[in-house]
Amino acid sequence: MTGARRLAVALSGGVDSAVSCRLIQDEGHEVVALFMELGQGDVLRQRARAMADFLGVDFQVVDLRDPFRHQVIDYFCQSYARGQTPNPCVVCNPAIKCGLLLDMALEMGCEALVTGHYVRQEERGGVACLRCGLDPVKDQSYFLCGLRQDQLRHLRFPLGGLLKSQVFALAREYDLPVAGGESQDVCFLEEGSPGDFLARELASPPLPGDIVDSQGRVLGRHQGIHCYTIGQRRGLGISAPKPLYVVAIRATENQVVVGPDAELYRAELRLLEPANWLAGEGPGLPWQGRVKIRYRHQEGAKATLTRDDQGLLVRFAQPQRAITPGQFAVFYQDDLLLGGGEIVGAKSPSP
């Protein structure tokens, strides 16, 4: 960027947003700090306000509690009630943080919204693109697979080219009053588990039912399908000579299916359509590249994306462990983020 701009910073009071704000200030831009009021309580808001005061920037609270509840929390609850494992951050970014908060920033006369995501941006042939963050451990491109071109053109990510250790070093250099801890993956869960949260939020939580093996033999009872996720081992309440894992959740039968680790592997997955493509349109099919099936999927896996009479299908070069409906399959060409879609089902390898 050249010349001074009026920019908004999504400020939480944590180290990432605070360092992002200071880096933007160092470039000479006028900054307004926006705090997303999502119902987190007074402590976080006060921490963010104190940080804005320390940085000497205007501070405004944007009340997004209602849309956050309807678009993120309701989605989270309904997904678990269907036996899926949702990813609220993937939904929140295009709808709330890089959606409504960005809209507010633009209405205030700001040219862009700055966030603390670890992701790099560039333009290729007039198309706004995202690349993985330089820090492979902190790369957050997975969570931004739902963004659109009109959003990308008004977003800035100052931390994408930095390691987390460098961000902490900058925080010390700037003498920022931030704690060293990491933020929670799901901001609205506080200290409880998803099951505890859902028990409070769902008017009619899923009922207890049978835990069965892949042959349908009853091995125990579950507390409600919303308390379980694919790959789970702990908390099953059943004993067996070898470790058992949740390998499937059958919502219509109200069953949790368990089996040995080998039964967790799947060779294909199906996507809910339409998938989202950052460039506005998807790659030519068949496409080959790298696919992540969860945020902590390290480098992802080699796969081919095709279309058949049932829709979009991802076939992996090697079967993948614990493919989970409700999570997102996110597509990469080298380190370039292409887009992603919600996983709706998976298929075992052929015998």
Side-chain angles (χ1 to χ4, degrees):
M1 292 183 292
T2 58
R5 305 279 198 271
R6 177 175 166 83
L7 303 177
V9 175
L11 191 70
S12 67
V15 63
D16 293 332
S17 64
V19 171
S20 296
C21 185
R22 185 57 193 271
L23 289 172
I24 292 299
Q25 287 180 292
D26 285 352
E27 293 179 1
H29 302 302
E30 177 189 354
V31 175
V32 55
L34 302 182
F35 175 79
M36 292 193 300
E37 177 60 70
L38 305 177
Q40 313 98 311
D42 295 336
V43 173
L44 292 181
R45 187 189 321 107
Q46 291 169 358
R47 185 176 71 176
R49 185 182 297 276
M51 180 61 68
D53 291 342
F54 179 86
L55 293 167
V57 298
D58 181 31
F59 179 80
Q60 297 194 33
V61 175
V62 181
D63 189 347
L64 297 174
R65 285 174 293 181
D66 284 347
F68 184 74
R69 167 160 291 279
H70 295 314
Q71 298 185 56
V72 180
I73 293 181
D74 286 354
Y75 146 80
F76 180 84
C77 294
Q78 292 162 9
S79 293
Y80 266 111
R82 293 193 297 267
Q84 300 176 329
T85 302
N87 194 309
C89 295
V90 172
V91 172
C92 179
N93 278 313
I96 306 297
K97 190 169 192 175
C98 302
L100 294 177
L101 190 68
L102 171 60
D103 292 342
M104 176 63 70
L106 297 177
E107 289 175 8
M108 294 170 55
C110 297
E111 295 191 22
L113 175 68
V114 178
T115 82
H117 287 100
Y118 286 77
V119 65
R120 293 174 290 173
Q121 60 194 144
E122 62 182 41
E123 187 171 301
R124 296 187 178 189
V127 176
C129 301
L130 290 183
R131 296 166 58 204
C132 295
L134 186 66
D135 190 329
V137 176
K138 287 299 297 178
D139 167 49
Q140 292 172 308
S141 58
Y142 179 94
F143 295 122
L144 300 179
C145 68
L147 295 184
R148 308 185 307 268
Q149 280 292 298
D150 62 303
Q151 295 171 327
L152 286 168
R153 295 186 183 284
H154 296 285
L155 293 169
R156 301 290 182 268
F157 307 104
L159 306 187
L162 298 174
L163 302 177
K164 183 73 175 192
S165 59
Q166 293 175 304
V167 173
F168 279 132
L170 284 170
R172 291 190 295 269
E173 179 183 329
Y174 293 140
D175 198 27
L176 297 177
V178 292
E182 294 294 318
S183 60
Q184 232 176 293
D185 286 342
V186 182
C187 62
F188 52 84
L189 286 186
E190 298 177 345
E191 299 300 321
S193 69
D196 295 335
F197 179 83
L198 292 162
R200 297 192 302 269
E201 291 291 324
L202 290 172
S204 300
L207 298 173
D210 289 332
I211 298 177
V212 302
D213 64 15
S214 56
Q215 285 74 47
R217 293 180 293 232
V218 177
L219 303 180
R221 294 283 289 176
H222 66 73
Q223 301 304 306
I225 59 173
H226 62 294
C227 298
Y228 303 84
T229 187
I230 304 299
Q232 180 177 334
R233 178 183 174 187
R234 297 181 182 275
L236 300 181
I238 54 177
S239 59
K242 294 184 178 180
L244 295 178
Y245 302 82
V246 176
V247 299
I249 297 174
R250 298 171 180 164
T252 54
E253 293 92 349
N254 194 27
Q255 292 179 336
V256 173
V257 185
V258 298
D261 184 78
E263 292 185 11
L264 281 170
Y265 287 83
R266 303 287 186 266
E268 301 176 353
L269 65 81
R270 289 278 176 191
L271 290 182
L272 179 68
E273 296 198 69
N276 182 73
W277 304 104
L278 270 67
E281 59 182 19
L285 300 181
W287 169 88
Q288 291 185 328
R290 184 165 59 94
V291 179
K292 282 189 172 187
I293 58 172
R294 63 180 64 84
Y295 172 52
R296 297 296 185 189
H297 194 195
Q298 298 181 349
E299 295 300 314
K302 292 182 180 179
T304 301
L305 176 66
T306 60
R307 179 179 291 281
D308 61 15
D309 56 0
Q310 297 180 53
L312 287 174
L313 175 69
V314 176
R315 291 191 176 96
F316 292 98
Q318 298 292 332
Q320 298 299 301
R321 187 179 186 276
I323 297 176
T324 305
Q327 290 291 296
F328 285 75
V330 177
F331 301 87
Y332 296 85
Q333 199 74 59
D334 298 322
D335 69 347
L336 182 68
L337 172 64
L338 300 184
E342 185 178 338
I343 300 169
V344 294
K347 182 179 178 181
S348 301
S350 300

